[in-house]
Amino acid sequence: GQTGHAEVVRVVFDPKAIRYADLLKIFWEGHNPTQRMRQAYDVGTQYRSVIFTCSDAQQAAAEQSRRQYQSRLDEAGLGAIATEIRRAPPFYYAEDDHQQYLAKHPGGYCGHGGTGVCYDK
């Protein structure tokens, strides 16, 4: 409870194959960023919504995307985004059961889901 860690997905991508902006769209639509220190039934700091960036360009793009998605959430009458955006701290792999989790559990976790608000108009 006091480690400050977050359960995250490490995304390694080829910017020639997919744009960072497209990954941000998937991020915003794939969970509820208005929940503080939780996702669905999971509660605690490790379940907070975060974007860890690796460059100034990623940081700026993530912050701009938060503003864009917040305006869409405002239009839908939903709350403020609680997502933390900052430079990536050291990354540590989880235990084996949590590696490639969705490959092992194709149905995912039923408690996770987005707000139903599209990132783009």
Side-chain angles (χ1 to χ4, degrees), residues 33-111:
T34 68
Q35 295 181 335
R36 296 198 182 279
M37 303 302 177
R38 73 176 303 142
Q39 285 300 311
Y41 306 112
D42 293 329
V43 179
T45 60
Q46 71 270 33
Y47 300 112
R48 68 191 186 276
S49 175
V50 298
I51 298 174
F52 292 132
T53 62
C54 296
S55 69
D56 290 342
Q58 285 184 356
Q59 183 79 20
E63 290 172 356
Q64 187 283 327
S65 73
R66 177 175 50 195
R67 288 188 296 273
Q68 178 176 333
Y69 198 55
Q70 184 63 65
S71 70
R72 299 287 289 132
L73 292 174
D74 291 344
E75 291 170 4
L78 297 175
I81 290 175
T83 303
E84 172 186 352
I85 300 174
R86 67 180 178 93
R87 282 302 180 105
F91 180 83
Y92 301 96
Y93 287 94
E95 66 278 1
D96 285 341
D97 186 51
H98 283 88
Q99 297 302 317
Q100 301 298 319
Y101 185 85
L102 293 178
K104 295 173 184 173
H105 308 277
Y109 173 67
C110 63

Side-chain angles (χ1 to χ4, degrees), residues 25-35 39-40 69 73 76 78 109-119:
K25 175 185 176 2
I26 293 166
F27 171 82
W28 293 119
E29 292 179 352
H31 79 297
N32 183 345
T34 68
Q35 295 181 335
Q39 285 300 311
Y69 198 55
L73 292 174
L78 297 175
Y109 173 67
C110 63
H112 289 177
T115 61
V117 175
C118 293
Y119 179 77

